[in-house]
Amino acid sequence: MENHAIIESFSEFKDEKNIDRVTLMAFIEESFRNQLKKKFGTDENFDIIVNPDKGDLEIWRNRIIVADGEVEDENMEIQLHEALKIEPDFEVGEEVSEEVKLIDLGRRFVLAFRQNLVSRIQEHDSGELFKRYKDMEGEIIAGEVHHVRHREIIIYDDEQNELILPKSEMIPDKDFFRKGDTVRAVVSRVDFKGTKPVVILSRTDGRFLEKLFEQEIPEVFDGLIVVKAVERVPGEKAKVAVESYDDRIDPVGACVGMKGSRIHGIVRELRNENIDVINFTANTQLFIQRALSPAKITSLTINEEDKRVDVFLKPDQVSLAIGRGGHNIRLAGRLTGYEIDVYRDDEEEEDVELTEFGDVIEGWVIEEFKAIGCDTAKSVLRLSVEDLVNRTDLEQETVEEVMAVLRQEFED
């Protein structure tokens, strides 16, 4: 067996695997040295020259010449009479370099080397695949359905890497795929099954919707509009809070588009999922009001310590706030970070708009109350003086005077 016989498949390795020439050469030498260490106990006295493009492999063993009969280590030393066969003028103490043929190393050595090399390349491929997709977590990828199983779908990417879309990560009762279909999903995570990396995709992850906004809406892609938060009930309803870094751009309008033209593609990708796009704000009261859209709130009371909110609405707005299956109120709570309790405002018809008190309460004071969601007299009276002082820029004396005026209205 000549040396080139063992490495005739090196070029195939290079072509079939995503591995560069320098790395392949390093793996070949590493695998050879591993086997030399197992056979001889050391590889320090061997020089290995590898040329995978030409299919050349040279192995040279360096040994010290000793007198005949005085060899203690056949791997490190050579008798004088044997050295003279290589070069007739050698002397004791000199170093001899002799080329080693694979046939001299034995068939078992060759087979073990090939196995070691294949294992090393597979390990390299697994590491490259893990690194590539670990860096892509949260990004959208498109692939072709290769096989449909009961609990998962096997998808191949452009390089024929195997990706998995579990049934639990598909839109319930709406995602159906066949072999050959193109599927878009977000890279959810990369796990290890033994030594093999497993790439898990998802179409229910909130990041999938966020990245769809980035792909479909130019202002989001350019960073002029930022998606601040996303909450979903996959296939049913979603709420997306967006914020514009350009005062000239209406973030909600830009995302939805004329007659819903921009968001239509996203809705279609998510199997007609109902998407509410709301304008993000740091004002907690206002953000909660927007999150509960399309319902219109009469008033609300926030308990910061317990992270709870009592929301009061007109009777015809309660069902809108809760939504079908409770999706609207549940998503609003997750979006804002508060537990929301809805109450019917049965006394609403007896209430009075704050603007009706414009003759006795200054306009800027009324605006302060309206800024925290208090548009009516009773919405103000439900709160304590301390709460109102903390939430507005009004002095305690001013708040007390306003509340006295409002109470008088109902006492009369």
mmCIF file with all atom_site columns, all heavy atoms in Angstrom, residues 233-251:
data_model
loop_
_atom_site.group_PDB
_atom_site.id
_atom_site.type_symbol
_atom_site.label_atom_id
_atom_site.label_alt_id
_atom_site.label_comp_id
_atom_site.label_asym_id
_atom_site.label_entity_id
_atom_site.label_seq_id
_atom_site.pdbx_PDB_ins_code
_atom_site.Cartn_x
_atom_site.Cartn_y
_atom_site.Cartn_z
_atom_site.occupancy
_atom_site.B_iso_or_equiv
_atom_site.pdbx_formal_charge
_atom_site.auth_seq_id
_atom_site.auth_comp_id
_atom_site.auth_asym_id
_atom_site.auth_atom_id
_atom_site.pdbx_PDB_model_num
ATOM 1   N N   . VAL A 1 233 ? -50.467 35.289 21.631 1.00 0.00 ? 233 VAL A N   1
ATOM 2   C CA  . VAL A 1 233 ? -51.159 34.018 21.739 1.00 0.00 ? 233 VAL A CA  1
ATOM 3   C C   . VAL A 1 233 ? -51.118 33.491 20.307 1.00 0.00 ? 233 VAL A C   1
ATOM 4   O O   . VAL A 1 233 ? -51.946 33.901 19.479 1.00 0.00 ? 233 VAL A O   1
ATOM 5   C CB  . VAL A 1 233 ? -52.613 34.170 22.230 1.00 0.00 ? 233 VAL A CB  1
ATOM 6   C CG1 . VAL A 1 233 ? -53.291 32.801 22.262 1.00 0.00 ? 233 VAL A CG1 1
ATOM 7   C CG2 . VAL A 1 233 ? -52.647 34.816 23.602 1.00 0.00 ? 233 VAL A CG2 1
ATOM 8   N N   . PRO A 1 234 ? -50.145 32.636 19.979 1.00 0.00 ? 234 PRO A N   1
ATOM 9   C CA  . PRO A 1 234 ? -49.875 32.286 18.583 1.00 0.00 ? 234 PRO A CA  1
ATOM 10  C C   . PRO A 1 234 ? -51.115 31.862 17.801 1.00 0.00 ? 234 PRO A C   1
ATOM 11  O O   . PRO A 1 234 ? -51.887 31.009 18.245 1.00 0.00 ? 234 PRO A O   1
ATOM 12  C CB  . PRO A 1 234 ? -48.882 31.120 18.707 1.00 0.00 ? 234 PRO A CB  1
ATOM 13  C CG  . PRO A 1 234 ? -48.182 31.376 20.000 1.00 0.00 ? 234 PRO A CG  1
ATOM 14  C CD  . PRO A 1 234 ? -49.241 31.936 20.903 1.00 0.00 ? 234 PRO A CD  1
ATOM 15  N N   . GLY A 1 235 ? -51.295 32.474 16.645 1.00 0.00 ? 235 GLY A N   1
ATOM 16  C CA  . GLY A 1 235 ? -52.405 32.159 15.776 1.00 0.00 ? 235 GLY A CA  1
ATOM 17  C C   . GLY A 1 235 ? -53.692 32.876 16.121 1.00 0.00 ? 235 GLY A C   1
ATOM 18  O O   . GLY A 1 235 ? -54.651 32.860 15.343 1.00 0.00 ? 235 GLY A O   1
ATOM 19  N N   . GLU A 1 236 ? -53.746 33.504 17.295 1.00 0.00 ? 236 GLU A N   1
ATOM 20  C CA  . GLU A 1 236 ? -54.965 34.186 17.732 1.00 0.00 ? 236 GLU A CA  1
ATOM 21  C C   . GLU A 1 236 ? -54.778 35.705 17.784 1.00 0.00 ? 236 GLU A C   1
ATOM 22  O O   . GLU A 1 236 ? -55.420 36.437 17.044 1.00 0.00 ? 236 GLU A O   1
ATOM 23  C CB  . GLU A 1 236 ? -55.392 33.666 19.116 1.00 0.00 ? 236 GLU A CB  1
ATOM 24  C CG  . GLU A 1 236 ? -55.787 32.198 19.134 1.00 0.00 ? 236 GLU A CG  1
ATOM 25  C CD  . GLU A 1 236 ? -57.064 31.939 18.356 1.00 0.00 ? 236 GLU A CD  1
ATOM 26  O OE1 . GLU A 1 236 ? -57.873 32.880 18.204 1.00 0.00 ? 236 GLU A OE1 1
ATOM 27  O OE2 . GLU A 1 236 ? -57.246 30.794 17.903 1.00 0.00 ? 236 GLU A OE2 1
ATOM 28  N N   . LYS A 1 237 ? -53.901 36.149 18.671 1.00 0.00 ? 237 LYS A N   1
ATOM 29  C CA  . LYS A 1 237 ? -53.768 37.593 18.875 1.00 0.00 ? 237 LYS A CA  1
ATOM 30  C C   . LYS A 1 237 ? -52.359 37.929 19.352 1.00 0.00 ? 237 LYS A C   1
ATOM 31  O O   . LYS A 1 237 ? -51.694 37.118 20.018 1.00 0.00 ? 237 LYS A O   1
ATOM 32  C CB  . LYS A 1 237 ? -54.799 38.071 19.903 1.00 0.00 ? 237 LYS A CB  1
ATOM 33  C CG  . LYS A 1 237 ? -54.919 39.602 20.018 1.00 0.00 ? 237 LYS A CG  1
ATOM 34  C CD  . LYS A 1 237 ? -56.052 39.986 20.951 1.00 0.00 ? 237 LYS A CD  1
ATOM 35  C CE  . LYS A 1 237 ? -56.215 41.501 21.043 1.00 0.00 ? 237 LYS A CE  1
ATOM 36  N NZ  . LYS A 1 237 ? -56.629 42.105 19.765 1.00 0.00 ? 237 LYS A NZ  1
ATOM 37  N N   . ALA A 1 238 ? -51.922 39.136 18.991 1.00 0.00 ? 238 ALA A N   1
ATOM 38  C CA  . ALA A 1 238 ? -50.613 39.614 19.429 1.00 0.00 ? 238 ALA A CA  1
ATOM 39  C C   . ALA A 1 238 ? -50.696 41.113 19.690 1.00 0.00 ? 238 ALA A C   1
ATOM 40  O O   . ALA A 1 238 ? -51.524 41.814 19.104 1.00 0.00 ? 238 ALA A O   1
ATOM 41  C CB  . ALA A 1 238 ? -49.554 39.323 18.380 1.00 0.00 ? 238 ALA A CB  1
ATOM 42  N N   . LYS A 1 239 ? -49.864 41.586 20.603 1.00 0.00 ? 239 LYS A N   1
ATOM 43  C CA  . LYS A 1 239 ? -49.731 43.014 20.862 1.00 0.00 ? 239 LYS A CA  1
ATOM 44  C C   . LYS A 1 239 ? -48.258 43.384 20.732 1.00 0.00 ? 239 LYS A C   1
ATOM 45  O O   . LYS A 1 239 ? -47.392 42.728 21.322 1.00 0.00 ? 239 LYS A O   1
ATOM 46  C CB  . LYS A 1 239 ? -50.254 43.373 22.252 1.00 0.00 ? 239 LYS A CB  1
ATOM 47  C CG  . LYS A 1 239 ? -51.784 43.348 22.349 1.00 0.00 ? 239 LYS A CG  1
ATOM 48  C CD  . LYS A 1 239 ? -52.267 43.851 23.690 1.00 0.00 ? 239 LYS A CD  1
ATOM 49  C CE  . LYS A 1 239 ? -53.795 43.821 23.768 1.00 0.00 ? 239 LYS A CE  1
ATOM 50  N NZ  . LYS A 1 239 ? -54.422 44.879 22.955 1.00 0.00 ? 239 LYS A NZ  1
ATOM 51  N N   . VAL A 1 240 ? -48.009 44.428 19.957 1.00 0.00 ? 240 VAL A N   1
ATOM 52  C CA  . VAL A 1 240 ? -46.638 44.867 19.708 1.00 0.00 ? 240 VAL A CA  1
ATOM 53  C C   . VAL A 1 240 ? -46.528 46.348 20.067 1.00 0.00 ? 240 VAL A C   1
ATOM 54  O O   . VAL A 1 240 ? -47.264 47.177 19.533 1.00 0.00 ? 240 VAL A O   1
ATOM 55  C CB  . VAL A 1 240 ? -46.258 44.670 18.224 1.00 0.00 ? 240 VAL A CB  1
ATOM 56  C CG1 . VAL A 1 240 ? -44.807 45.089 17.995 1.00 0.00 ? 240 VAL A CG1 1
ATOM 57  C CG2 . VAL A 1 240 ? -46.472 43.224 17.802 1.00 0.00 ? 240 VAL A CG2 1
ATOM 58  N N   . ALA A 1 241 ? -45.618 46.663 20.995 1.00 0.00 ? 241 ALA A N   1
ATOM 59  C CA  . ALA A 1 241 ? -45.387 48.055 21.390 1.00 0.00 ? 241 ALA A CA  1
ATOM 60  C C   . ALA A 1 241 ? -44.202 48.591 20.595 1.00 0.00 ? 241 ALA A C   1
ATOM 61  O O   . ALA A 1 241 ? -43.123 47.987 20.588 1.00 0.00 ? 241 ALA A O   1
ATOM 62  C CB  . ALA A 1 241 ? -45.108 48.154 22.887 1.00 0.00 ? 241 ALA A CB  1
ATOM 63  N N   . VAL A 1 242 ? -44.414 49.708 19.902 1.00 0.00 ? 242 VAL A N   1
ATOM 64  C CA  . VAL A 1 242 ? -43.359 50.290 19.071 1.00 0.00 ? 242 VAL A CA  1
ATOM 65  C C   . VAL A 1 242 ? -43.119 51.739 19.467 1.00 0.00 ? 242 VAL A C   1
ATOM 66  O O   . VAL A 1 242 ? -43.991 52.415 20.002 1.00 0.00 ? 242 VAL A O   1
ATOM 67  C CB  . VAL A 1 242 ? -43.718 50.210 17.574 1.00 0.00 ? 242 VAL A CB  1
ATOM 68  C CG1 . VAL A 1 242 ? -43.791 48.767 17.113 1.00 0.00 ? 242 VAL A CG1 1
ATOM 69  C CG2 . VAL A 1 242 ? -45.024 50.929 17.287 1.00 0.00 ? 242 VAL A CG2 1
ATOM 70  N N   . GLU A 1 243 ? -41.890 52.193 19.207 1.00 0.00 ? 243 GLU A N   1
ATOM 71  C CA  . GLU A 1 243 ? -41.520 53.570 19.539 1.00 0.00 ? 243 GLU A CA  1
ATOM 72  C C   . GLU A 1 243 ? -40.697 54.157 18.397 1.00 0.00 ? 243 GLU A C   1
ATOM 73  O O   . GLU A 1 243 ? -39.855 53.466 17.817 1.00 0.00 ? 243 GLU A O   1
ATOM 74  C CB  . GLU A 1 243 ? -40.728 53.612 20.837 1.00 0.00 ? 243 GLU A CB  1
ATOM 75  C CG  . GLU A 1 243 ? -40.369 55.025 21.299 1.00 0.00 ? 243 GLU A CG  1
ATOM 76  C CD  . GLU A 1 243 ? -39.617 55.017 22.630 1.00 0.00 ? 243 GLU A CD  1
ATOM 77  O OE1 . GLU A 1 243 ? -38.968 54.006 22.935 1.00 0.00 ? 243 GLU A OE1 1
ATOM 78  O OE2 . GLU A 1 243 ? -39.678 56.035 23.350 1.00 0.00 ? 243 GLU A OE2 1
ATOM 79  N N   . SER A 1 244 ? -40.941 55.411 18.070 1.00 0.00 ? 244 SER A N   1
ATOM 80  C CA  . SER A 1 244 ? -40.214 56.080 16.995 1.00 0.00 ? 244 SER A CA  1
ATOM 81  C C   . SER A 1 244 ? -39.111 56.967 17.564 1.00 0.00 ? 244 SER A C   1
ATOM 82  O O   . SER A 1 244 ? -39.315 57.671 18.547 1.00 0.00 ? 244 SER A O   1
ATOM 83  C CB  . SER A 1 244 ? -41.170 56.929 16.151 1.00 0.00 ? 244 SER A CB  1
ATOM 84  O OG  . SER A 1 244 ? -40.442 57.679 15.203 1.00 0.00 ? 244 SER A OG  1
ATOM 85  N N   . TYR A 1 245 ? -37.932 56.907 16.929 1.00 0.00 ? 245 TYR A N   1
ATOM 86  C CA  . TYR A 1 245 ? -36.827 57.780 17.305 1.00 0.00 ? 245 TYR A CA  1
ATOM 87  C C   . TYR A 1 245 ? -36.813 59.054 16.462 1.00 0.00 ? 245 TYR A C   1
ATOM 88  O O   . TYR A 1 245 ? -35.921 59.873 16.594 1.00 0.00 ? 245 TYR A O   1
ATOM 89  C CB  . TYR A 1 245 ? -35.499 57.033 17.152 1.00 0.00 ? 245 TYR A CB  1
ATOM 90  C CG  . TYR A 1 245 ? -35.233 56.028 18.245 1.00 0.00 ? 245 TYR A CG  1
ATOM 91  C CD1 . TYR A 1 245 ? -34.290 55.019 18.086 1.00 0.00 ? 245 TYR A CD1 1
ATOM 92  C CD2 . TYR A 1 245 ? -35.931 56.079 19.448 1.00 0.00 ? 245 TYR A CD2 1
ATOM 93  C CE1 . TYR A 1 245 ? -34.034 54.094 19.091 1.00 0.00 ? 245 TYR A CE1 1
ATOM 94  C CE2 . TYR A 1 245 ? -35.686 55.163 20.446 1.00 0.00 ? 245 TYR A CE2 1
ATOM 95  C CZ  . TYR A 1 245 ? -34.744 54.178 20.272 1.00 0.00 ? 245 TYR A CZ  1
ATOM 96  O OH  . TYR A 1 245 ? -34.504 53.272 21.271 1.00 0.00 ? 245 TYR A OH  1
ATOM 97  N N   . ASP A 1 246 ? -37.816 59.165 15.593 1.00 0.00 ? 246 ASP A N   1
ATOM 98  C CA  . ASP A 1 246 ? -37.961 60.351 14.747 1.00 0.00 ? 246 ASP A CA  1
ATOM 99  C C   . ASP A 1 246 ? -39.349 60.923 14.994 1.00 0.00 ? 246 ASP A C   1
ATOM 100 O O   . ASP A 1 246 ? -40.355 60.274 14.705 1.00 0.00 ? 246 ASP A O   1
ATOM 101 C CB  . ASP A 1 246 ? -37.788 59.967 13.274 1.00 0.00 ? 246 ASP A CB  1
ATOM 102 C CG  . ASP A 1 246 ? -37.724 61.194 12.365 1.00 0.00 ? 246 ASP A CG  1
ATOM 103 O OD1 . ASP A 1 246 ? -38.315 62.230 12.730 1.00 0.00 ? 246 ASP A OD1 1
ATOM 104 O OD2 . ASP A 1 246 ? -37.092 61.103 11.294 1.00 0.00 ? 246 ASP A OD2 1
ATOM 105 N N   . ASP A 1 247 ? -39.411 62.139 15.543 1.00 0.00 ? 247 ASP A N   1
ATOM 106 C CA  . ASP A 1 247 ? -40.695 62.745 15.895 1.00 0.00 ? 247 ASP A CA  1
ATOM 107 C C   . ASP A 1 247 ? -41.613 62.925 14.690 1.00 0.00 ? 247 ASP A C   1
ATOM 108 O O   . ASP A 1 247 ? -42.830 63.062 14.841 1.00 0.00 ? 247 ASP A O   1
ATOM 109 C CB  . ASP A 1 247 ? -40.474 64.113 16.560 1.00 0.00 ? 247 ASP A CB  1
ATOM 110 C CG  . ASP A 1 247 ? -39.783 63.989 17.907 1.00 0.00 ? 247 ASP A CG  1
ATOM 111 O OD1 . ASP A 1 247 ? -39.864 62.886 18.492 1.00 0.00 ? 247 ASP A OD1 1
ATOM 112 O OD2 . ASP A 1 247 ? -39.159 64.962 18.359 1.00 0.00 ? 247 ASP A OD2 1
ATOM 113 N N   . ARG A 1 248 ? -41.040 62.907 13.501 1.00 0.00 ? 248 ARG A N   1
ATOM 114 C CA  . ARG A 1 248 ? -41.855 63.082 12.303 1.00 0.00 ? 248 ARG A CA  1
ATOM 115 C C   . ARG A 1 248 ? -42.557 61.799 11.870 1.00 0.00 ? 248 ARG A C   1
ATOM 116 O O   . ARG A 1 248 ? -43.421 61.819 11.003 1.00 0.00 ? 248 ARG A O   1
ATOM 117 C CB  . ARG A 1 248 ? -40.978 63.585 11.143 1.00 0.00 ? 248 ARG A CB  1
ATOM 118 C CG  . ARG A 1 248 ? -40.332 64.943 11.406 1.00 0.00 ? 248 ARG A CG  1
ATOM 119 C CD  . ARG A 1 248 ? -39.284 65.233 10.353 1.00 0.00 ? 248 ARG A CD  1
ATOM 120 N NE  . ARG A 1 248 ? -38.185 64.269 10.403 1.00 0.00 ? 248 ARG A NE  1
ATOM 121 C CZ  . ARG A 1 248 ? -37.151 64.268 9.581  1.00 0.00 ? 248 ARG A CZ  1
ATOM 122 N NH1 . ARG A 1 248 ? -37.065 65.199 8.635  1.00 0.00 ? 248 ARG A NH1 1
ATOM 123 N NH2 . ARG A 1 248 ? -36.189 63.358 9.693  1.00 0.00 ? 248 ARG A NH2 1
ATOM 124 N N   . ILE A 1 249 ? -42.177 60.679 12.474 1.00 0.00 ? 249 ILE A N   1
ATOM 125 C CA  . ILE A 1 249 ? -42.731 59.385 12.065 1.00 0.00 ? 249 ILE A CA  1
ATOM 126 C C   . ILE A 1 249 ? -43.723 58.875 13.107 1.00 0.00 ? 249 ILE A C   1
ATOM 127 O O   . ILE A 1 249 ? -43.403 58.788 14.296 1.00 0.00 ? 249 ILE A O   1
ATOM 128 C CB  . ILE A 1 249 ? -41.609 58.338 11.882 1.00 0.00 ? 249 ILE A CB  1
ATOM 129 C CG1 . ILE A 1 249 ? -40.655 58.783 10.774 1.00 0.00 ? 249 ILE A CG1 1
ATOM 130 C CG2 . ILE A 1 249 ? -42.196 56.972 11.550 1.00 0.00 ? 249 ILE A CG2 1
ATOM 131 C CD1 . ILE A 1 249 ? -39.471 57.857 10.585 1.00 0.00 ? 249 ILE A CD1 1
ATOM 132 N N   . ASP A 1 250 ? -44.927 58.567 12.669 1.00 0.00 ? 250 ASP A N   1
ATOM 133 C CA  . ASP A 1 250 ? -45.923 57.919 13.523 1.00 0.00 ? 250 ASP A CA  1
ATOM 134 C C   . ASP A 1 250 ? -45.620 56.419 13.505 1.00 0.00 ? 250 ASP A C   1
ATOM 135 O O   . ASP A 1 250 ? -45.819 55.757 12.474 1.00 0.00 ? 250 ASP A O   1
ATOM 136 C CB  . ASP A 1 250 ? -47.331 58.177 12.987 1.00 0.00 ? 250 ASP A CB  1
ATOM 137 C CG  . ASP A 1 250 ? -48.376 57.313 13.679 1.00 0.00 ? 250 ASP A CG  1
ATOM 138 O OD1 . ASP A 1 250 ? -48.112 56.868 14.815 1.00 0.00 ? 250 ASP A OD1 1
ATOM 139 O OD2 . ASP A 1 250 ? -49.439 57.079 13.072 1.00 0.00 ? 250 ASP A OD2 1
ATOM 140 N N   . PRO A 1 251 ? -45.121 55.852 14.611 1.00 0.00 ? 251 PRO A N   1
ATOM 141 C CA  . PRO A 1 251 ? -44.676 54.454 14.577 1.00 0.00 ? 251 PRO A CA  1
ATOM 142 C C   . PRO A 1 251 ? -45.799 53.465 14.269 1.00 0.00 ? 251 PRO A C   1
ATOM 143 O O   . PRO A 1 251 ? -45.587 52.491 13.555 1.00 0.00 ? 251 PRO A O   1
ATOM 144 C CB  . PRO A 1 251 ? -44.099 54.231 15.984 1.00 0.00 ? 251 PRO A CB  1
ATOM 145 C CG  . PRO A 1 251 ? -44.728 55.276 16.841 1.00 0.00 ? 251 PRO A CG  1
ATOM 146 C CD  . PRO A 1 251 ? -44.932 56.460 15.943 1.00 0.00 ? 251 PRO A CD  1
#
